[in-house]
Amino acid sequence: MGSYLDAYDAHHRYRGSIVGLLEIGVFDGGSVESWRTYLGDSARILGVDIDPRCAELVDPPNRVLIGSQADPGFLRDAVATLGRLDVVIDDGSHVAAHQIVSFETLCPLVEPGGLYIIEDVHTAYWHS
């Protein structure tokens, strides 16, 4: 079984393009920075997280907005800030109810042919 990176690399068409990527769940900011390296300088990359410390963990032009993935208004504002939504990566709370709100809010805003990825869906089956 391959890694996440193998699956994402299948979508290399976004490299070097003016792609809008929204990542839900930033944690230590490393993946946002990795996306910049992979996608290039033309990419518009925005992270969202509930932890205010995350906003300080990325380098410009990357940005992190602080708010909940379960707040449709916040998510729509994030997309407005981004300007274009081609790729969504939901690696946030891993709570199914939050993932549903995010999906219902963001999926209709993704550009035709774009991607909506939800990571770690196996957590929906954990008892805790």
Side-chain angles (χ1 to χ4, degrees):
M1 184 165 165
S3 71
Y4 285 119
L5 298 178
D6 294 334
Y8 290 139
D9 199 39
H11 302 287
H12 56 83
R13 70 181 184 268
Y14 292 114
R15 292 186 83 175
S17 70
I18 302 172
V19 58
L21 183 141
L22 178 68
E23 182 172 26
I24 300 170
V26 173
F27 186 55
D28 66 2
S31 60
V32 171
E33 299 300 329
S34 293
W35 284 119
R36 168 69 53 209
T37 300
Y38 181 78
L39 294 171
D41 293 336
S42 297
R44 299 193 62 168
I45 300 171
L46 180 65
V48 299
D49 205 291
I50 60 169
D51 184 349
R53 295 175 296 165
C54 293
E56 305 302 320
L57 299 175
V58 299
D59 295 323
N62 299 334
R63 291 185 55 203
V64 175
L65 298 180
I66 305 304
S68 173
Q69 78 173 100
D71 179 346
F74 167 72
L75 294 173
R76 285 190 291 273
D77 288 347
V79 172
T81 297
L82 189 59
R84 173 185 181 93
L85 187 60
D86 298 289
V87 179
V88 176
I89 301 170
D90 182 344
D91 192 20
S93 73
H94 307 300
V95 173
H98 298 169
Q99 293 169 328
I100 291 168
V101 170
S102 297
F103 181 82
E104 289 177 342
T105 304
L106 296 173
C107 191
L109 303 176
V110 174
E111 293 290 326
L115 296 172
Y116 197 104
I117 301 162
I118 303 174
E119 292 188 350
D120 303 318
V121 293
H122 66 281
T123 61
Y125 301 99
W126 290 353
H127 293 289
S128 61

